[in-house]
Amino acid sequence: WRQMGLMFRVIRKYREEVDTPSYCVDSKKLVISTDNFLNVYFDRRHKDLKLLLNLLAETSGLPESFRILTLFDKKFQSLWKPQNLRFEEYETVIPNQKTKSHSIIVRWNDAPIGHFLANYDSKLSFEYTIDI
């Protein structure tokens, strides 16, 4: 491949993994294949966007390019969302006081693309944020 930018290499590797017969997709999830995945990035009509994303990845890092790509490709966006998001709320009453303590515990499973990125490059990591 003549295009050897970091973002291109990561995305190409992910598409290759998706295309392998051993790639297992949960039957409840949408099937993601090269027919319907990352068309915005790989389509020749969008080569300017691809160039922009590759340059941004080289100068500012992969996260910024991935954030922009998720705005244009909804299937790619779905790969970044945590799975099985759950909220647990607890209220604790402190004896001999009139105060109550409220706790919220948030649990989730990693985003589908997380396993791939961890195996691709151990220096890549996820950071989850939540607004309350």
Side-chain angles (χ1 to χ4, degrees), residues 27-46:
S27 61
K28 295 179 183 177
K29 296 179 186 170
L30 295 174
V31 174
I32 297 174
S33 70
T34 54
D35 295 331
N36 63 9
F37 175 61
L38 288 170
N39 289 336
V40 170
Y41 185 80
F42 285 103
D43 191 329
R44 291 187 183 274
R45 294 174 295 171
H46 303 135

Side-chain angles (χ1 to χ4, degrees), residues 13-24:
K13 181 70 175 168
Y14 188 76
R15 272 185 75 158
E16 288 171 2
E17 185 171 304
V18 168
D19 279 344
T20 58
S22 63
Y23 183 77
C24 181

Side-chain angles (χ1 to χ4, degrees), residues 30 81 102:
L30 295 174
K81 292 183 179 180
H102 292 277

Side-chain angles (χ1 to χ4, degrees), residues 2-131:
R2 304 195 101 212
Q3 302 169 357
M4 296 304 289
L6 177 60
M7 184 166 183
F8 179 80
R9 288 191 307 269
V10 171
I11 290 175
R12 186 188 67 202
K13 181 70 175 168
Y14 188 76
R15 272 185 75 158
E16 288 171 2
E17 185 171 304
V18 168
D19 279 344
T20 58
S22 63
Y23 183 77
C24 181
V25 177
D26 186 352
S27 61
K28 295 179 183 177
K29 296 179 186 170
L30 295 174
V31 174
I32 297 174
S33 70
T34 54
D35 295 331
N36 63 9
F37 175 61
L38 288 170
N39 289 336
V40 170
Y41 185 80
F42 285 103
D43 191 329
R44 291 187 183 274
R45 294 174 295 171
H46 303 135
K47 58 186 172 186
D48 291 339
L49 177 63
K50 183 177 182 178
L51 176 64
L52 175 67
L53 293 173
N54 287 338
L55 290 171
L56 184 61
E58 294 298 323
T59 58
S60 299
L62 283 171
E64 287 73 17
S65 291
F66 283 148
R67 280 186 195 108
I68 292 172
L69 185 55
T70 60
L71 296 174
F72 293 101
D73 191 321
K74 296 303 177 189
K75 288 192 178 9
F76 187 66
Q77 182 184 72
S78 70
L79 295 176
W80 294 87
K81 292 183 179 180
Q83 304 295 300
N84 302 321
L85 187 61
R86 311 172 292 290
F87 298 93
E88 300 169 7
E89 185 176 352
Y90 298 98
E91 181 177 276
T92 305
V93 178
I94 302 173
N96 300 327
Q97 295 182 9
K98 293 183 180 182
T99 59
K100 295 180 182 179
S101 170
H102 292 277
S103 301
I104 297 175
I105 297 174
V106 181
R107 299 180 194 273
W108 66 87
N109 296 352
D110 280 333
I113 202 167
H115 180 72
F116 164 77
L117 288 176
N119 289 332
Y120 179 81
D121 185 349
S122 61
K123 294 179 281 190
L124 297 175
S125 63
F126 268 78
E127 180 177 301
Y128 293 97
T129 58
I130 185 168
D131 292 325

